[in-house]
Structure formats: C-alpha cells, structure tokens
C-alpha cells in the first residue's frame, strides 16, 4: 500500500478520528481474542486505475491511499472471507479502516457518532435573520419575488438576549449564522445583538463564533471590519457567472447590476482584512457555460491563491414552491455531478479552491440538531432555513423556547434519521453526507422536481472524479491513469457509491417518517 496520506492530514476532523479509532479498537479486540474472519469495510470506496492499481478512500476514517496489484489481490481475498483479522499483512488496511473484524458493527459506530453530534448538549447553532428584506430579485430565491420589508423588533432582540443569557450557562460553544433576506440591510441590528450577546458568552465561559450569508452588495471594508470586531470570521457571498450572466439573474429589485460592486467589495475585504470569504456559485443550465469564464475573471482580478478566499459550487434546486419556476433550468443529479467535478478541477487549477475532500457528517445541519434553531424577524422559531417563509412550518416563538422545542413540528425534525430508511442506512457515503437534506424527508410535500426532491448530494455522483483530482494534484497518479470505463463513479462494472434515492424510495422514506412523527 503506497502513498497513504499522513495521519495528521487524514484525521483533521475529530469525528473521523474518533470513528477510525473505534474501528481499529474493534479489530484489536478481535485480534486479542484470538482473531477471526476479516471483512471489507462497508465504507471503503475503491477507484480502479488504468494500469491495474487503484485509489482507496474510506468515508468514515477519511483515509486515502493508492493500492497496487498486490494490495488489490489481498483485498479480493478479504472479500472472499479467506483472511484472518490477526494476519500481519492486514496491518495497513486495518489502520485505514478499510478492513474490519467481521463482527464489527461499523454502521452502529457511525450512527453513535452521528447521534452524538446531533444531540451534543455543549454546542448550539443559531441562525438569526435580522430582516427578511432583500435588495436583490433573484428568480430562483426561496423567498420568491415578493420581498418582505420587516426588520427584527426590539422586543424580539430582547427575548433572544434573555434566552441566550440563560442558555449559554450550559454551553461551551455558541455559533451564530446571520441570515436573511439580506442581513446587511439591517446591519445595525446585527451590531446591536452582537454587542449584547458576546459579553454574555464571555461571562458564561462560552466560546462565541459567527458567520454571515450575504449577497455582498453592502459588504464594504467598513462593514467588514465592523463584523470582524463582532466575532464574524467567515462570510458567504454568491456570484453566478461573469458580469453579464450574474447581472442577468442576481440584479437589484430595480433591475440595476450588482457584479462590479460585489467584486470591488470582495477585493477590498480580502486584501485588507482576515475575513474568510467563500464564494457560492449557483449552477443551472442557464449559466453553466459561463462559470469557467467567471473563474478566469476572479483570477485576473487577483483573487486566486488567497488564503481567505475560495469558491464552491451548488446546484440550483426548486426546494420550495416559491422557487419552483427554476426547476426547468435545474440539472438532473447525474448531469450536475459530472459538471461539478469539471468545475472543481477548473477552480483548483486557477488557485480558487483547495483539493476536494469528502466532508464528515456534512448533512448534519442545525435543522436536525437538538440545539439548532432559526429565528425570524417576527420572533418565530424554525428548525430549517428553507421553512422561514412559511409561518405554518414554525416550531414556536422565541418567547417560549421550551414550548417550541417540545412541539410536534420540532420533534418531527429530531425524530428524523438517515438510519431509518434502507437507501441511506446502507449507503457507503453515509459518514460523509449523514442523509443530506432532512427537509426533503420531513417536508417532502414541499419539494418539486428531481433536483429539489431527491436528497443525495453531488458527492454521490462524482466521488471517484473528485478523489482522482485530489490524487493527481498530489502527484500520486498521472492524468492518463484515469480509465474511462472503470474509474468513473458510475462505471459499467459498478456504482461505487451505492444505490441512489429515486422518487419511489423518497416517497417510502417520507411516508415512514411522517407515520413515526405523527405518533
């Protein structure tokens, strides 16, 4: 087994390290008890190369290696059940988690870690929308084109501060995501709440961090410095192509352009502050051909190779009825997966993103966490960003959080688990996606079209391609070692990432969840 990444790099994520240690502990226990049959891990992904070698990745331990023919021959023997877990030749495989004792409960270990993260009482993820108003008129926005104008009232802010004054006494970490609408349309509210919340966290020995999702139009240098002073360390801004493409879909409500102003703000902030900016590029059939030209433009503006600047890509999806009109332009899952792999290669080669590594428990968002809440300007509490425009889907209000957390709607989110449906439960990338978007199960009736309704993330459709890119740029493989028949995620011989959700499996999973939630 050659070119296995060093442990410090592989195990950068605490959850991956914990799972890896547990898997190895189980194997060592079996060895100490006299051995027993070895088995291939259910979370091992093998990508064949043209010369007979392969790349191997473990979605739970995040180990990544190149295997030669001898390794693959041994791997096949393990698959046939002809190797003992105590065999010294299996040492590297055991260290990476690729091989386990046949008696090991891998899925149970992943489930325990997933649930521990979801129900961790020491941390809280709180999304706060100081306003749902927005100065943009994006056709695919979940708000639709009828923008509200209300801002968070003082009594809502007071109730939030009072709640956090009590809550942070039992927390070690509080993370706030400022959201909207366009949150910087009420930046004074962000400043005022931050100036009250941060001293509370300090008093209660609770670590505070913050993030903001903004369209970037108001993110000038003065505003960025004010946010940094109030604990905001990361920021998401959306660009959807070069000036013509972006301004055609992300213009002001007046119809005026926004691209040049946003780019000027980005350059000022990235150059003069340490604020980390992540550019989200929403991709559909209308702008796909323009994205690489946008990457070239960002590079030409001097934004490549910056430690506090990067891009990532996301499919446009008709998540709610308000944005259902964009469903015709949305890509099918497989088509988007192929395109996304190409875009990440282009972005990396231009110095605009790092090498891809599958995430750990990426679908474990605040919506399914015990201590995850979304607060709207009216004082309504939700679990998910995608429900904030529908008051009927709220769980309660900030004036009685205990009652909200005990509501049937809240329990519906917390009762959801990817382990309760066979597609997710058996999936080899479960440790990466954690079931992906729970909204598509909890409120399946609200989603439309393949892109919006089916939850499997893009990793499911391009994992082999992304792993090959990582290996190629690390110097582990050569470009010509990609085998167009055997290497792709969906090759003729196999579907490397397992069964994908379809409409039938989604309907069954959603119906089963609804029945449990109604009990």
């Amino acid at each position: 087994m050659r070119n296995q990444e060093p442990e410090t790099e592989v195990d950068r994520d605490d959850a991956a390290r914990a799972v890896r240690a547990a898997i190895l502990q189980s194997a060592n226990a079996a060895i100490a008890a006299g051995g027993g049959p070895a088995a291939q891990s259910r979370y091992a992904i093998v990508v064949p190369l043209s010369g007979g070698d392969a790349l191997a990745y473990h979605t739970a331990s995040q180990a990544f290696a190149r295997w030669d023919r001898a390794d693959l021959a041994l791997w096949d023997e393990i698959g046939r059940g002809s190797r003992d877990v105590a065999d010294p030749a299996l040492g590297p495989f055991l260290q990476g988690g690729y091989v386990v004792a046949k008696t090991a409960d891998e899925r149970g270990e992943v489930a325990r870690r997933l649930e521990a993260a979801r129900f961790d009482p020491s941390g809280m993820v709180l999304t706060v929308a100081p306003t749902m108003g927005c100065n943009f008129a994006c056709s695919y926005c979940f708000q639709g084109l009828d923008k509200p104008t209300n801002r968070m009232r003082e009594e809502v802010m007071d109730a939030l501060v009072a709640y956090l004054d009590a809550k942070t006494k039992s927390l070690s970490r509080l993370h706030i995501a400022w959201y909207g609408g366009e949150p910087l349309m009420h930046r004074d509210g962000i400043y005022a709440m931050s100036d009250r919340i941060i001293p509370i966290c300090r008093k209660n020995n609770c670590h505070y961090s913050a993030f903001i999702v903004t369209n970037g139009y108001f993110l000038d240098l003065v505003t960025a410095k004010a946010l940094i002073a109030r604990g905001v360390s990361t920021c998401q801004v959306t660009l959807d192509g070069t000036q013509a493409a972006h301004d055609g879909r992300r213009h002001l409500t007046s119809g005026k352009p926004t691209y040049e102003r946003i780019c000027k703000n980005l350059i000022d902030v990235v150059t003069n502050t340490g604020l980390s900016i992540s550019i989200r590029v929403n991709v559909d059939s209308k702008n796909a051909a323009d994205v690489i030209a946008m990457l070239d433009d960002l590079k030409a503006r001097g934004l490549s190779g910056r430690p506090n600047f990067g891009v990532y890509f996301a499919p446009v999806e008709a998540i709610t009825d308000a944005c259902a009109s964009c469903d015709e332009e949305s890509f099918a899952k497989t088509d988007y997966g192929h395109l996304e792999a190409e875009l990440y290669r282009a972005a990396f080669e231009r110095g605009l993103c790092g090498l891809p590594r599958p995430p750990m428990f990426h679908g474990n968002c605040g919506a399914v966490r015990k201590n995850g809440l979304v607060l709207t300007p009216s004082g309504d509490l939700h679990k998910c960003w995608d429900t904030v425009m529908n008051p009927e889907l709220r769980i309660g209000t900030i004036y009685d959080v205990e009652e909200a957390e005990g509501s049937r709607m809240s329990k519906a989110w917390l009762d959801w688990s990817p382990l309760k449906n066979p597609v997710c439960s058996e999936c080899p990338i479960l440790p990466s996606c954690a079931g992906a978007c729970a909204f598509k199960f909890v409120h399946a009736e609200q989603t439309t079209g393949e892109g919006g309704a089916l939850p499997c993330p893009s990793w499911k459709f391009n994992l082999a391609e992304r792993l090959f890119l990582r290996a190629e740029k690390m110097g582990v493989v050569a470009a010509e070692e990609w085998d167009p028949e055997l290497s792709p995620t969906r090759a003729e011989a196999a579907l490397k990432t397992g069964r994908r959700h379809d409409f039938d499996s989604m309907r069954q999973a959603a119906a089963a969840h609804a029945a449990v939630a109604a009990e």
Side-chain angles (χ1 to χ4, degrees), residues 425-496:
S425 181
E426 297 295 329
C427 181
I429 71 163
L430 174 64
S432 294
C433 86
C437 181
F439 176 89
K440 297 174 183 181
F441 294 89
V442 178
H443 292 299
E445 74 284 356
Q446 300 286 325
T447 60
T448 60
E450 180 187 340
L454 301 181
C456 295
S458 58
W459 287 101
K460 183 98 171 171
F461 301 85
N462 59 26
L463 181 57
E465 288 76 6
R466 291 212 217 183
L467 291 175
F468 188 86
L469 170 62
R470 183 175 184 83
E472 180 188 343
K473 299 305 180 182
M474 290 170 57
V476 174
V477 300
E480 58 269 21
E481 290 186 272
W482 178 262
D483 188 317
E485 293 185 1
L486 299 177
S487 300
T489 304
R490 184 164 195 164
E492 292 297 328
L495 188 60
K496 295 180 179 63

Side-chain angles (χ1 to χ4, degrees), residues 81-233:
S82 58
R83 286 283 182 159
D84 192 284
V85 72
D87 188 334
L90 302 190
F93 291 89
L94 293 170
Q95 289 290 332
Y98 304 111
V99 172
V100 299
K102 192 171 184 179
T103 55
D105 182 13
E106 283 190 281
R107 182 167 49 195
E109 184 59 39
V110 168
R112 284 188 288 274
R113 299 293 173 180
L114 173 59
E115 294 303 289
R118 288 182 60 189
F119 294 96
D120 178 7
S122 65
M124 182 171 198
V125 178
L126 178 64
T127 299
V128 181
T131 178
M132 294 307 297
C134 185
N135 55 327
F136 277 27
C138 308
S139 60
Y140 55 71
C141 179
F142 74 100
Q143 289 183 298
L145 299 179
D146 185 17
K147 308 292 185 183
T149 58
N150 59 313
R151 296 183 172 189
M152 187 171 286
R153 305 186 307 274
E154 287 292 333
E155 56 265 34
V156 177
M157 296 185 194
D158 290 343
L160 172 62
V161 171
Y163 166 69
L164 290 177
D165 194 12
K167 182 67 174 179
T168 53
K169 293 175 182 176
S170 62
L171 298 176
S172 61
R173 306 177 311 280
L174 171 65
H175 181 75
I176 289 185
W178 300 106
Y179 185 65
E182 170 47 50
L184 291 181
M185 288 187 71
H186 191 21
R187 71 196 84 176
D188 289 345
I190 295 175
Y191 302 161
M193 283 184 275
S194 299
D195 290 345
R196 298 173 69 184
I197 294 169
I198 293 173
I200 288 172
C201 288
R202 192 177 298 121
K203 176 187 69 174
N204 292 329
N205 295 315
C206 176
H207 175 73
Y208 178 84
S209 61
F211 161 76
I212 189 167
V213 178
T214 170
N215 58 39
Y217 194 80
F218 297 118
L219 189 68
D220 55 29
L221 190 57
V222 172
T223 301
K225 289 181 176 180
L227 292 171
I228 293 168
R230 291 167 173 86
V232 176
S233 59

Side-chain angles (χ1 to χ4, degrees), residues 297-447:
D297 184 47
L298 294 178
K299 180 180 179 180
R301 292 172 186 262
L303 288 168
S304 62
R306 301 293 190 104
N308 60 333
F309 183 86
V311 303
Y312 79 97
F313 307 98
V316 173
E317 297 182 342
I319 298 294
T320 66
D321 290 340
C323 53
S325 60
C326 71
D327 188 56
E328 291 184 3
E329 288 78 43
S330 298
F331 281 106
K333 291 281 188 176
T334 300
D335 294 339
Y336 175 75
H338 292 163
L339 172 62
E340 186 184 68
E342 297 173 7
L343 294 178
Y344 272 110
R345 176 176 288 274
F348 176 80
E349 291 175 346
R350 289 159 177 76
L352 294 169
C353 74
L355 287 174
R357 176 188 292 284
M360 187 67 174
F361 295 158
H362 186 63
N364 190 11
C365 71
V368 297
R369 291 177 182 261
K370 173 67 175 175
N371 280 336
L373 293 172
V374 179
L375 176 64
T376 71
S378 67
D380 284 350
L381 288 175
H382 292 252
K383 293 293 289 181
C384 174
W385 294 7
D386 290 324
T387 68
V388 294
M389 293 303 292
N390 188 345
E392 294 181 2
L393 300 183
R394 70 178 185 174
I395 64 169
T397 74
I398 190 63
Y399 303 111
D400 193 337
V401 178
E402 184 176 355
E403 180 182 45
E405 291 178 334
S407 68
R408 175 174 292 185
M409 190 67 72
S410 178
K411 290 178 179 178
W413 286 98
L414 298 181
D415 286 343
W416 171 85
S417 170
L419 299 163
K420 293 180 180 179
N421 75 77
V423 175
C424 292
S425 181
E426 297 295 329
C427 181
I429 71 163
L430 174 64
S432 294
C433 86
C437 181
F439 176 89
K440 297 174 183 181
F441 294 89
V442 178
H443 292 299
E445 74 284 356
Q446 300 286 325
T447 60

Side-chain angles (χ1 to χ4, degrees), residues 241-258:
T242 54
Q243 183 174 2
H246 175 93
D247 287 342
R249 55 200 271 139
R250 293 187 62 82
H251 49 74
L252 296 176
T253 53
S254 65
K256 292 184 178 180
T258 62

